[in-house]
Amino acid sequence: EQLAAARDAAAADRAAAVRGAEEAHAARAAAYEARMQELERRLAESQAKLTPMRDKLLELKRQSVAMLDEREAELSRLRASVAVEGDKAPAAEAAAANGGGGRGSTASE
């Protein structure tokens, strides 16, 4: 009878241990689920804050690219005008060398 009582007590201890483990597991699972929901909520809040910032950054990038394009076009125009002026300078020097007009030629005559 003592043996049966010891077996019953051991079985009751094992059953209690199993119930305790199951309860602990369920508690950990519930805590994990609550943590996941909190993280999802915080992620949604962060995304809601970041979306307007991202949109603003994209707009600033677009404006910067447009400004750079304008500057490059202006630089190309300036280079073209310098090249045209550079082409005119040798012709003017040749005309002056050939005695073609200018203040210097009338003063020496």
Side-chain angles (χ1 to χ4, degrees), residues 82-98:
V82 167
V84 168
E85 291 297 320
D87 290 344
K88 290 180 183 176
E93 290 172 4
N98 292 330

Side-chain angles (χ1 to χ4, degrees), residues 56-96:
K56 181 65 177 174
L57 284 173
L58 289 173
E59 175 60 20
L60 290 172
K61 179 183 175 185
R62 187 196 63 74
Q63 290 174 1
S64 295
V65 168
M67 287 174 51
L68 283 173
D69 289 345
E70 290 174 15
R71 297 293 184 264
E72 286 178 4
E74 183 179 347
L75 184 58
S76 293
R77 284 191 300 275
L78 288 172
R79 284 183 177 145
S81 70
V82 167
V84 168
E85 291 297 320
D87 290 344
K88 290 180 183 176
E93 290 172 4

Side-chain angles (χ1 to χ4, degrees), residues 15-33:
V18 167
R19 278 192 304 277
E22 289 172 347
E23 289 171 2
H25 177 73
R28 281 193 303 274
Y32 175 80
E33 183 61 30

Side-chain angles (χ1 to χ4, degrees), residues 27-59:
R28 281 193 303 274
Y32 175 80
E33 183 61 30
R35 178 72 175 146
M36 288 301 295
Q37 288 175 358
E38 173 64 14
L39 290 173
E40 287 172 355
R41 183 190 64 78
R42 288 175 53 194
L43 176 61
E45 287 177 0
S46 295
Q47 287 175 332
K49 290 177 185 175
L50 289 175
T51 298
M53 288 184 217
R54 186 202 66 201
D55 293 345
K56 181 65 177 174
L57 284 173
L58 289 173
E59 175 60 20

